[in-house]
mmCIF file with all atom_site columns, all heavy atoms in Angstrom:
data_model
loop_
_atom_site.group_PDB
_atom_site.id
_atom_site.type_symbol
_atom_site.label_atom_id
_atom_site.label_alt_id
_atom_site.label_comp_id
_atom_site.label_asym_id
_atom_site.label_entity_id
_atom_site.label_seq_id
_atom_site.pdbx_PDB_ins_code
_atom_site.Cartn_x
_atom_site.Cartn_y
_atom_site.Cartn_z
_atom_site.occupancy
_atom_site.B_iso_or_equiv
_atom_site.pdbx_formal_charge
_atom_site.auth_seq_id
_atom_site.auth_comp_id
_atom_site.auth_asym_id
_atom_site.auth_atom_id
_atom_site.pdbx_PDB_model_num
ATOM 1   N N   . ASN A 1 1  ? 0.893  -1.186 -0.026  1.00 96.00 ? 541 ASN A N   1
ATOM 2   C CA  . ASN A 1 1  ? 0.009  -0.037 0.021   1.00 96.00 ? 541 ASN A CA  1
ATOM 3   C C   . ASN A 1 1  ? 0.916  1.196  -0.099  1.00 96.00 ? 541 ASN A C   1
ATOM 4   O O   . ASN A 1 1  ? 1.502  1.498  1.050   1.00 96.00 ? 541 ASN A O   1
ATOM 5   C CB  . ASN A 1 1  ? -0.947 -0.013 1.246   1.00 96.00 ? 541 ASN A CB  1
ATOM 6   C CG  . ASN A 1 1  ? -2.025 1.091  1.070   1.00 96.00 ? 541 ASN A CG  1
ATOM 7   O OD1 . ASN A 1 1  ? -1.800 2.261  0.577   1.00 96.00 ? 541 ASN A OD1 1
ATOM 8   N ND2 . ASN A 1 1  ? -3.190 0.672  1.406   1.00 96.00 ? 541 ASN A ND2 1
ATOM 9   N N   . GLN A 1 2  ? 0.981  1.836  -1.142  1.00 95.00 ? 542 GLN A N   1
ATOM 10  C CA  . GLN A 1 2  ? 1.931  3.004  -1.286  1.00 95.00 ? 542 GLN A CA  1
ATOM 11  C C   . GLN A 1 2  ? 1.416  4.351  -0.972  1.00 95.00 ? 542 GLN A C   1
ATOM 12  O O   . GLN A 1 2  ? 2.088  5.393  -1.039  1.00 95.00 ? 542 GLN A O   1
ATOM 13  C CB  . GLN A 1 2  ? 2.461  2.956  -2.748  1.00 95.00 ? 542 GLN A CB  1
ATOM 14  C CG  . GLN A 1 2  ? 3.192  1.728  -3.209  1.00 95.00 ? 542 GLN A CG  1
ATOM 15  C CD  . GLN A 1 2  ? 2.911  1.281  -4.578  1.00 95.00 ? 542 GLN A CD  1
ATOM 16  O OE1 . GLN A 1 2  ? 1.869  1.613  -5.120  1.00 95.00 ? 542 GLN A OE1 1
ATOM 17  N NE2 . GLN A 1 2  ? 3.830  0.578  -5.185  1.00 95.00 ? 542 GLN A NE2 1
ATOM 18  N N   . GLN A 1 3  ? 0.104  4.282  -0.476  1.00 95.00 ? 543 GLN A N   1
ATOM 19  C CA  . GLN A 1 3  ? -0.495 5.565  -0.268  1.00 95.00 ? 543 GLN A CA  1
ATOM 20  C C   . GLN A 1 3  ? 0.148  6.354  0.807   1.00 95.00 ? 543 GLN A C   1
ATOM 21  O O   . GLN A 1 3  ? 0.480  5.744  1.929   1.00 95.00 ? 543 GLN A O   1
ATOM 22  C CB  . GLN A 1 3  ? -2.047 5.403  0.148   1.00 95.00 ? 543 GLN A CB  1
ATOM 23  C CG  . GLN A 1 3  ? -2.846 4.651  -0.910  1.00 95.00 ? 543 GLN A CG  1
ATOM 24  C CD  . GLN A 1 3  ? -2.904 5.449  -2.192  1.00 95.00 ? 543 GLN A CD  1
ATOM 25  O OE1 . GLN A 1 3  ? -3.200 6.666  -2.222  1.00 95.00 ? 543 GLN A OE1 1
ATOM 26  N NE2 . GLN A 1 3  ? -2.694 4.747  -3.312  1.00 95.00 ? 543 GLN A NE2 1
ATOM 27  N N   . CYS A 1 4  ? 0.325  7.736  0.606   1.00 95.00 ? 544 CYS A N   1
ATOM 28  C CA  . CYS A 1 4  ? 1.125  8.594  1.459   1.00 95.00 ? 544 CYS A CA  1
ATOM 29  C C   . CYS A 1 4  ? 0.724  8.435  2.961   1.00 95.00 ? 544 CYS A C   1
ATOM 30  O O   . CYS A 1 4  ? 1.607  8.285  3.824   1.00 95.00 ? 544 CYS A O   1
ATOM 31  C CB  . CYS A 1 4  ? 1.181  9.993  0.972   1.00 95.00 ? 544 CYS A CB  1
ATOM 32  S SG  . CYS A 1 4  ? 2.033  11.063 1.954   1.00 95.00 ? 544 CYS A SG  1
ATOM 33  N N   . HIS A 1 5  ? -0.489 8.650  3.176   1.00 94.00 ? 545 HIS A N   1
ATOM 34  C CA  . HIS A 1 5  ? -0.960 8.693  4.613   1.00 94.00 ? 545 HIS A CA  1
ATOM 35  C C   . HIS A 1 5  ? -0.809 7.376  5.302   1.00 94.00 ? 545 HIS A C   1
ATOM 36  O O   . HIS A 1 5  ? -0.649 7.295  6.535   1.00 94.00 ? 545 HIS A O   1
ATOM 37  C CB  . HIS A 1 5  ? -2.409 9.246  4.732   1.00 94.00 ? 545 HIS A CB  1
ATOM 38  C CG  . HIS A 1 5  ? -3.273 8.597  3.760   1.00 94.00 ? 545 HIS A CG  1
ATOM 39  N ND1 . HIS A 1 5  ? -3.323 8.838  2.399   1.00 94.00 ? 545 HIS A ND1 1
ATOM 40  C CD2 . HIS A 1 5  ? -4.384 7.754  3.976   1.00 94.00 ? 545 HIS A CD2 1
ATOM 41  C CE1 . HIS A 1 5  ? -4.263 8.072  1.821   1.00 94.00 ? 545 HIS A CE1 1
ATOM 42  N NE2 . HIS A 1 5  ? -4.934 7.453  2.728   1.00 94.00 ? 545 HIS A NE2 1
ATOM 43  N N   . VAL A 1 6  ? -0.876 6.179  4.490   1.00 96.00 ? 546 VAL A N   1
ATOM 44  C CA  . VAL A 1 6  ? -0.600 4.949  5.108   1.00 96.00 ? 546 VAL A CA  1
ATOM 45  C C   . VAL A 1 6  ? 0.930  4.863  5.591   1.00 96.00 ? 546 VAL A C   1
ATOM 46  O O   . VAL A 1 6  ? 1.189  4.357  6.657   1.00 96.00 ? 546 VAL A O   1
ATOM 47  C CB  . VAL A 1 6  ? -0.970 3.801  4.139   1.00 96.00 ? 546 VAL A CB  1
ATOM 48  C CG1 . VAL A 1 6  ? -0.615 2.459  4.607   1.00 96.00 ? 546 VAL A CG1 1
ATOM 49  C CG2 . VAL A 1 6  ? -2.523 3.810  3.813   1.00 96.00 ? 546 VAL A CG2 1
ATOM 50  N N   . ILE A 1 7  ? 1.804  5.146  4.655   1.00 97.00 ? 547 ILE A N   1
ATOM 51  C CA  . ILE A 1 7  ? 3.223  5.003  4.959   1.00 97.00 ? 547 ILE A CA  1
ATOM 52  C C   . ILE A 1 7  ? 3.634  5.957  6.002   1.00 97.00 ? 547 ILE A C   1
ATOM 53  O O   . ILE A 1 7  ? 4.310  5.555  6.893   1.00 97.00 ? 547 ILE A O   1
ATOM 54  C CB  . ILE A 1 7  ? 4.045  5.251  3.610   1.00 97.00 ? 547 ILE A CB  1
ATOM 55  C CG1 . ILE A 1 7  ? 3.713  4.144  2.496   1.00 97.00 ? 547 ILE A CG1 1
ATOM 56  C CG2 . ILE A 1 7  ? 5.446  5.179  3.977   1.00 97.00 ? 547 ILE A CG2 1
ATOM 57  C CD1 . ILE A 1 7  ? 3.886  2.809  2.922   1.00 97.00 ? 547 ILE A CD1 1
ATOM 58  N N   . LYS A 1 8  ? 3.020  7.123  6.040   1.00 96.00 ? 548 LYS A N   1
ATOM 59  C CA  . LYS A 1 8  ? 3.258  8.187  7.107   1.00 96.00 ? 548 LYS A CA  1
ATOM 60  C C   . LYS A 1 8  ? 2.927  7.607  8.417   1.00 96.00 ? 548 LYS A C   1
ATOM 61  O O   . LYS A 1 8  ? 3.634  7.698  9.388   1.00 96.00 ? 548 LYS A O   1
ATOM 62  C CB  . LYS A 1 8  ? 2.646  9.484  6.813   1.00 96.00 ? 548 LYS A CB  1
ATOM 63  C CG  . LYS A 1 8  ? 3.429  10.372 5.865   1.00 96.00 ? 548 LYS A CG  1
ATOM 64  C CD  . LYS A 1 8  ? 2.654  11.773 5.725   1.00 96.00 ? 548 LYS A CD  1
ATOM 65  C CE  . LYS A 1 8  ? 3.540  12.669 4.818   1.00 96.00 ? 548 LYS A CE  1
ATOM 66  N NZ  . LYS A 1 8  ? 2.931  13.991 4.814   1.00 96.00 ? 548 LYS A NZ  1
ATOM 67  N N   . GLU A 1 9  ? 1.705  6.960  8.505   1.00 97.00 ? 549 GLU A N   1
ATOM 68  C CA  . GLU A 1 9  ? 1.338  6.372  9.817   1.00 97.00 ? 549 GLU A CA  1
ATOM 69  C C   . GLU A 1 9  ? 2.199  5.274  10.300  1.00 97.00 ? 549 GLU A C   1
ATOM 70  O O   . GLU A 1 9  ? 2.416  5.160  11.546  1.00 97.00 ? 549 GLU A O   1
ATOM 71  C CB  . GLU A 1 9  ? -0.177 5.994  9.788   1.00 97.00 ? 549 GLU A CB  1
ATOM 72  C CG  . GLU A 1 9  ? -0.809 5.652  11.034  1.00 97.00 ? 549 GLU A CG  1
ATOM 73  C CD  . GLU A 1 9  ? -0.684 6.698  12.113  1.00 97.00 ? 549 GLU A CD  1
ATOM 74  O OE1 . GLU A 1 9  ? -0.576 7.911  11.832  1.00 97.00 ? 549 GLU A OE1 1
ATOM 75  O OE2 . GLU A 1 9  ? -0.816 6.327  13.270  1.00 97.00 ? 549 GLU A OE2 1
ATOM 76  N N   . ILE A 1 10 ? 2.575  4.351  9.289   1.00 97.00 ? 550 ILE A N   1
ATOM 77  C CA  . ILE A 1 10 ? 3.401  3.197  9.680   1.00 97.00 ? 550 ILE A CA  1
ATOM 78  C C   . ILE A 1 10 ? 4.745  3.790  10.151  1.00 97.00 ? 550 ILE A C   1
ATOM 79  O O   . ILE A 1 10 ? 5.302  3.348  11.185  1.00 97.00 ? 550 ILE A O   1
ATOM 80  C CB  . ILE A 1 10 ? 3.635  2.321  8.448   1.00 97.00 ? 550 ILE A CB  1
ATOM 81  C CG1 . ILE A 1 10 ? 2.331  1.587  8.092   1.00 97.00 ? 550 ILE A CG1 1
ATOM 82  C CG2 . ILE A 1 10 ? 4.760  1.291  8.705   1.00 97.00 ? 550 ILE A CG2 1
ATOM 83  C CD1 . ILE A 1 10 ? 2.336  0.779  6.773   1.00 97.00 ? 550 ILE A CD1 1
ATOM 84  N N   . ALA A 1 11 ? 5.307  4.811  9.452   1.00 97.00 ? 551 ALA A N   1
ATOM 85  C CA  . ALA A 1 11 ? 6.578  5.448  9.954   1.00 97.00 ? 551 ALA A CA  1
ATOM 86  C C   . ALA A 1 11 ? 6.381  6.131  11.265  1.00 97.00 ? 551 ALA A C   1
ATOM 87  O O   . ALA A 1 11 ? 7.244  5.919  12.118  1.00 97.00 ? 551 ALA A O   1
ATOM 88  C CB  . ALA A 1 11 ? 7.084  6.367  8.937   1.00 97.00 ? 551 ALA A CB  1
ATOM 89  N N   . ARG A 1 12 ? 5.354  6.785  11.490  1.00 97.00 ? 552 ARG A N   1
ATOM 90  C CA  . ARG A 1 12 ? 5.138  7.480  12.712  1.00 97.00 ? 552 ARG A CA  1
ATOM 91  C C   . ARG A 1 12 ? 4.978  6.640  13.937  1.00 97.00 ? 552 ARG A C   1
ATOM 92  O O   . ARG A 1 12 ? 5.789  6.542  14.843  1.00 97.00 ? 552 ARG A O   1
ATOM 93  C CB  . ARG A 1 12 ? 3.928  8.488  12.603  1.00 97.00 ? 552 ARG A CB  1
ATOM 94  C CG  . ARG A 1 12 ? 3.734  9.377  13.894  1.00 97.00 ? 552 ARG A CG  1
ATOM 95  C CD  . ARG A 1 12 ? 2.272  9.897  13.941  1.00 97.00 ? 552 ARG A CD  1
ATOM 96  N NE  . ARG A 1 12 ? 1.338  8.967  14.159  1.00 97.00 ? 552 ARG A NE  1
ATOM 97  C CZ  . ARG A 1 12 ? 0.951  8.541  15.368  1.00 97.00 ? 552 ARG A CZ  1
ATOM 98  N NH1 . ARG A 1 12 ? 1.638  8.910  16.379  1.00 97.00 ? 552 ARG A NH1 1
ATOM 99  N NH2 . ARG A 1 12 ? 0.065  7.538  15.566  1.00 97.00 ? 552 ARG A NH2 1
ATOM 100 N N   . TYR A 1 13 ? 3.996  5.746  13.847  1.00 97.00 ? 553 TYR A N   1
ATOM 101 C CA  . TYR A 1 13 ? 3.611  4.899  14.876  1.00 97.00 ? 553 TYR A CA  1
ATOM 102 C C   . TYR A 1 13 ? 4.666  3.717  15.031  1.00 97.00 ? 553 TYR A C   1
ATOM 103 O O   . TYR A 1 13 ? 5.081  3.344  16.102  1.00 97.00 ? 553 TYR A O   1
ATOM 104 C CB  . TYR A 1 13 ? 2.216  4.243  14.787  1.00 97.00 ? 553 TYR A CB  1
ATOM 105 C CG  . TYR A 1 13 ? 1.817  3.528  16.010  1.00 97.00 ? 553 TYR A CG  1
ATOM 106 C CD1 . TYR A 1 13 ? 1.215  4.194  17.084  1.00 97.00 ? 553 TYR A CD1 1
ATOM 107 C CD2 . TYR A 1 13 ? 1.928  2.128  16.101  1.00 97.00 ? 553 TYR A CD2 1
ATOM 108 C CE1 . TYR A 1 13 ? 0.795  3.496  18.234  1.00 97.00 ? 553 TYR A CE1 1
ATOM 109 C CE2 . TYR A 1 13 ? 1.505  1.477  17.293  1.00 97.00 ? 553 TYR A CE2 1
ATOM 110 C CZ  . TYR A 1 13 ? 0.978  2.121  18.286  1.00 97.00 ? 553 TYR A CZ  1
ATOM 111 O OH  . TYR A 1 13 ? 0.590  1.560  19.480  1.00 97.00 ? 553 TYR A OH  1
ATOM 112 N N   . GLY A 1 14 ? 5.150  3.303  13.891  1.00 97.00 ? 554 GLY A N   1
ATOM 113 C CA  . GLY A 1 14 ? 6.088  2.179  13.940  1.00 97.00 ? 554 GLY A CA  1
ATOM 114 C C   . GLY A 1 14 ? 7.467  2.589  14.529  1.00 97.00 ? 554 GLY A C   1
ATOM 115 O O   . GLY A 1 14 ? 8.264  1.724  14.783  1.00 97.00 ? 554 GLY A O   1
ATOM 116 N N   . SER A 1 15 ? 7.696  3.808  14.563  1.00 97.00 ? 555 SER A N   1
ATOM 117 C CA  . SER A 1 15 ? 8.987  4.261  15.230  1.00 97.00 ? 555 SER A CA  1
ATOM 118 C C   . SER A 1 15 ? 9.221  3.881  16.625  1.00 97.00 ? 555 SER A C   1
ATOM 119 O O   . SER A 1 15 ? 10.303 3.640  17.102  1.00 97.00 ? 555 SER A O   1
ATOM 120 C CB  . SER A 1 15 ? 9.107  5.803  15.070  1.00 97.00 ? 555 SER A CB  1
ATOM 121 O OG  . SER A 1 15 ? 8.129  6.450  15.888  1.00 97.00 ? 555 SER A OG  1
ATOM 122 N N   . HIS A 1 16 ? 8.050  3.671  17.357  1.00 96.00 ? 556 HIS A N   1
ATOM 123 C CA  . HIS A 1 16 ? 8.062  3.061  18.797  1.00 96.00 ? 556 HIS A CA  1
ATOM 124 C C   . HIS A 1 16 ? 8.765  1.691  18.732  1.00 96.00 ? 556 HIS A C   1
ATOM 125 O O   . HIS A 1 16 ? 9.259  1.228  19.802  1.00 96.00 ? 556 HIS A O   1
ATOM 126 C CB  . HIS A 1 16 ? 6.707  3.017  19.260  1.00 96.00 ? 556 HIS A CB  1
ATOM 127 C CG  . HIS A 1 16 ? 5.994  4.275  19.349  1.00 96.00 ? 556 HIS A CG  1
ATOM 128 N ND1 . HIS A 1 16 ? 6.403  5.418  19.979  1.00 96.00 ? 556 HIS A ND1 1
ATOM 129 C CD2 . HIS A 1 16 ? 4.742  4.588  18.868  1.00 96.00 ? 556 HIS A CD2 1
ATOM 130 C CE1 . HIS A 1 16 ? 5.607  6.379  19.745  1.00 96.00 ? 556 HIS A CE1 1
ATOM 131 N NE2 . HIS A 1 16 ? 4.560  5.922  19.159  1.00 96.00 ? 556 HIS A NE2 1
ATOM 132 N N   . TYR A 1 17 ? 8.738  1.048  17.612  1.00 98.00 ? 557 TYR A N   1
ATOM 133 C CA  . TYR A 1 17 ? 9.209  -0.405 17.520  1.00 98.00 ? 557 TYR A CA  1
ATOM 134 C C   . TYR A 1 17 ? 10.264 -0.598 16.494  1.00 98.00 ? 557 TYR A C   1
ATOM 135 O O   . TYR A 1 17 ? 10.775 -1.656 16.188  1.00 98.00 ? 557 TYR A O   1
ATOM 136 C CB  . TYR A 1 17 ? 7.992  -1.319 17.144  1.00 98.00 ? 557 TYR A CB  1
ATOM 137 C CG  . TYR A 1 17 ? 6.857  -1.338 18.089  1.00 98.00 ? 557 TYR A CG  1
ATOM 138 C CD1 . TYR A 1 17 ? 5.776  -0.501 17.817  1.00 98.00 ? 557 TYR A CD1 1
ATOM 139 C CD2 . TYR A 1 17 ? 6.893  -2.047 19.247  1.00 98.00 ? 557 TYR A CD2 1
ATOM 140 C CE1 . TYR A 1 17 ? 4.722  -0.474 18.678  1.00 98.00 ? 557 TYR A CE1 1
ATOM 141 C CE2 . TYR A 1 17 ? 5.709  -2.016 20.104  1.00 98.00 ? 557 TYR A CE2 1
ATOM 142 C CZ  . TYR A 1 17 ? 4.720  -1.165 19.762  1.00 98.00 ? 557 TYR A CZ  1
ATOM 143 O OH  . TYR A 1 17 ? 3.589  -1.209 20.646  1.00 98.00 ? 557 TYR A OH  1
ATOM 144 N N   . HIS A 1 18 ? 10.842 0.645  16.026  1.00 98.00 ? 558 HIS A N   1
ATOM 145 C CA  . HIS A 1 18 ? 11.874 0.595  15.000  1.00 98.00 ? 558 HIS A CA  1
ATOM 146 C C   . HIS A 1 18 ? 11.482 -0.206 13.815  1.00 98.00 ? 558 HIS A C   1
ATOM 147 O O   . HIS A 1 18 ? 12.205 -0.918 13.157  1.00 98.00 ? 558 HIS A O   1
ATOM 148 C CB  . HIS A 1 18 ? 13.175 -0.054 15.539  1.00 98.00 ? 558 HIS A CB  1
ATOM 149 C CG  . HIS A 1 18 ? 13.572 0.606  16.911  1.00 98.00 ? 558 HIS A CG  1
ATOM 150 N ND1 . HIS A 1 18 ? 13.802 1.907  17.228  1.00 98.00 ? 558 HIS A ND1 1
ATOM 151 C CD2 . HIS A 1 18 ? 13.788 -0.077 18.105  1.00 98.00 ? 558 HIS A CD2 1
ATOM 152 C CE1 . HIS A 1 18 ? 14.067 2.017  18.425  1.00 98.00 ? 558 HIS A CE1 1
ATOM 153 N NE2 . HIS A 1 18 ? 14.125 0.900  18.952  1.00 98.00 ? 558 HIS A NE2 1
ATOM 154 N N   . HIS A 1 19 ? 10.148 0.089  13.461  1.00 98.00 ? 559 HIS A N   1
ATOM 155 C CA  . HIS A 1 19 ? 9.544  -0.637 12.317  1.00 98.00 ? 559 HIS A CA  1
ATOM 156 C C   . HIS A 1 19 ? 10.037 0.031  11.011  1.00 98.00 ? 559 HIS A C   1
ATOM 157 O O   . HIS A 1 19 ? 9.844  1.245  10.794  1.00 98.00 ? 559 HIS A O   1
ATOM 158 C CB  . HIS A 1 19 ? 8.052  -0.642 12.296  1.00 98.00 ? 559 HIS A CB  1
ATOM 159 C CG  . HIS A 1 19 ? 7.372  -1.963 11.694  1.00 98.00 ? 559 HIS A CG  1
ATOM 160 N ND1 . HIS A 1 19 ? 7.099  -3.017 12.363  1.00 98.00 ? 559 HIS A ND1 1
ATOM 161 C CD2 . HIS A 1 19 ? 7.031  -2.202 10.376  1.00 98.00 ? 559 HIS A CD2 1
ATOM 162 C CE1 . HIS A 1 19 ? 6.603  -3.979 11.514  1.00 98.00 ? 559 HIS A CE1 1
ATOM 163 N NE2 . HIS A 1 19 ? 6.560  -3.367 10.320  1.00 98.00 ? 559 HIS A NE2 1
ATOM 164 N N   . GLY A 1 20 ? 10.577 -0.777 10.066  1.00 98.00 ? 560 GLY A N   1
ATOM 165 C CA  . GLY A 1 20 ? 11.233 -0.227 8.834   1.00 98.00 ? 560 GLY A CA  1
ATOM 166 C C   . GLY A 1 20 ? 10.370 -0.397 7.570   1.00 98.00 ? 560 GLY A C   1
ATOM 167 O O   . GLY A 1 20 ? 9.207  -0.760 7.740   1.00 98.00 ? 560 GLY A O   1
ATOM 168 N N   . LEU A 1 21 ? 10.922 -0.140 6.416   1.00 98.00 ? 561 LEU A N   1
ATOM 169 C CA  . LEU A 1 21 ? 10.206 -0.156 5.207   1.00 98.00 ? 561 LEU A CA  1
ATOM 170 C C   . LEU A 1 21 ? 11.088 -0.982 4.211   1.00 98.00 ? 561 LEU A C   1
ATOM 171 O O   . LEU A 1 21 ? 12.282 -0.931 4.210   1.00 98.00 ? 561 LEU A O   1
ATOM 172 C CB  . LEU A 1 21 ? 10.022 1.233  4.594   1.00 98.00 ? 561 LEU A CB  1
ATOM 173 C CG  . LEU A 1 21 ? 9.057  2.192  5.450   1.00 98.00 ? 561 LEU A CG  1
ATOM 174 C CD1 . LEU A 1 21 ? 9.162  3.615  4.974   1.00 98.00 ? 561 LEU A CD1 1
ATOM 175 C CD2 . LEU A 1 21 ? 7.729  1.632  5.417   1.00 98.00 ? 561 LEU A CD2 1
ATOM 176 N N   . GLU A 1 22 ? 10.460 -1.628 3.324   1.00 98.00 ? 562 GLU A N   1
ATOM 177 C CA  . GLU A 1 22 ? 11.035 -2.346 2.228   1.00 98.00 ? 562 GLU A CA  1
ATOM 178 C C   . GLU A 1 22 ? 10.760 -1.544 0.906   1.00 98.00 ? 562 GLU A C   1
ATOM 179 O O   . GLU A 1 22 ? 9.475  -1.184 0.581   1.00 98.00 ? 562 GLU A O   1
ATOM 180 C CB  . GLU A 1 22 ? 10.544 -3.789 2.154   1.00 98.00 ? 562 GLU A CB  1
ATOM 181 C CG  . GLU A 1 22 ? 11.152 -4.639 1.040   1.00 98.00 ? 562 GLU A CG  1
ATOM 182 C CD  . GLU A 1 22 ? 10.287 -4.659 -0.276  1.00 98.00 ? 562 GLU A CD  1
ATOM 183 O OE1 . GLU A 1 22 ? 9.088  -4.405 -0.255  1.00 98.00 ? 562 GLU A OE1 1
ATOM 184 O OE2 . GLU A 1 22 ? 10.889 -5.018 -1.342  1.00 98.00 ? 562 GLU A OE2 1
ATOM 185 N N   . ALA A 1 23 ? 11.724 -1.446 0.077   1.00 97.00 ? 563 ALA A N   1
ATOM 186 C CA  . ALA A 1 23 ? 11.603 -0.777 -1.176  1.00 97.00 ? 563 ALA A CA  1
ATOM 187 C C   . ALA A 1 23 ? 12.007 -1.670 -2.281  1.00 97.00 ? 563 ALA A C   1
ATOM 188 O O   . ALA A 1 23 ? 13.126 -2.183 -2.297  1.00 97.00 ? 563 ALA A O   1
ATOM 189 C CB  . ALA A 1 23 ? 12.412 0.461  -1.174  1.00 97.00 ? 563 ALA A CB  1
ATOM 190 N N   . GLY A 1 24 ? 11.204 -1.692 -3.423  1.00 95.00 ? 564 GLY A N   1
ATOM 191 C CA  . GLY A 1 24 ? 11.511 -2.520 -4.486  1.00 95.00 ? 564 GLY A CA  1
ATOM 192 C C   . GLY A 1 24 ? 11.683 -1.749 -5.809  1.00 95.00 ? 564 GLY A C   1
ATOM 193 O O   . GLY A 1 24 ? 11.873 -2.312 -6.861  1.00 95.00 ? 564 GLY A O   1
ATOM 194 N N   . SER A 1 25 ? 11.871 -0.416 -5.514  1.00 96.00 ? 565 SER A N   1
ATOM 195 C CA  . SER A 1 25 ? 12.087 0.485  -6.842  1.00 96.00 ? 565 SER A CA  1
ATOM 196 C C   . SER A 1 25 ? 12.803 1.749  -6.276  1.00 96.00 ? 565 SER A C   1
ATOM 197 O O   . SER A 1 25 ? 12.711 1.999  -5.015  1.00 96.00 ? 565 SER A O   1
ATOM 198 C CB  . SER A 1 25 ? 10.877 0.743  -7.537  1.00 96.00 ? 565 SER A CB  1
ATOM 199 O OG  . SER A 1 25 ? 10.077 1.660  -6.749  1.00 96.00 ? 565 SER A OG  1
ATOM 200 N N   . LYS A 1 26 ? 13.315 2.548  -7.156  1.00 96.00 ? 566 LYS A N   1
ATOM 201 C CA  . LYS A 1 26 ? 13.912 3.837  -6.723  1.00 96.00 ? 566 LYS A CA  1
ATOM 202 C C   . LYS A 1 26 ? 12.953 4.745  -6.112  1.00 96.00 ? 566 LYS A C   1
ATOM 203 O O   . LYS A 1 26 ? 13.188 5.366  -5.127  1.00 96.00 ? 566 LYS A O   1
ATOM 204 C CB  . LYS A 1 26 ? 14.543 4.520  -7.931  1.00 96.00 ? 566 LYS A CB  1
ATOM 205 C CG  . LYS A 1 26 ? 15.880 4.030  -8.317  1.00 96.00 ? 566 LYS A CG  1
ATOM 206 C CD  . LYS A 1 26 ? 16.562 4.717  -9.529  1.00 96.00 ? 566 LYS A CD  1
ATOM 207 C CE  . LYS A 1 26 ? 15.956 4.254  -10.819 1.00 96.00 ? 566 LYS A CE  1
ATOM 208 N NZ  . LYS A 1 26 ? 16.582 4.643  -11.977 1.00 96.00 ? 566 LYS A NZ  1
#
């Protein structure tokens, strides 16, 4: 799910758990 507000929320809330992201393109 590449939608901006979804990724932002994962990054924001996930920071409590050092939750990262996987990228398959530039």
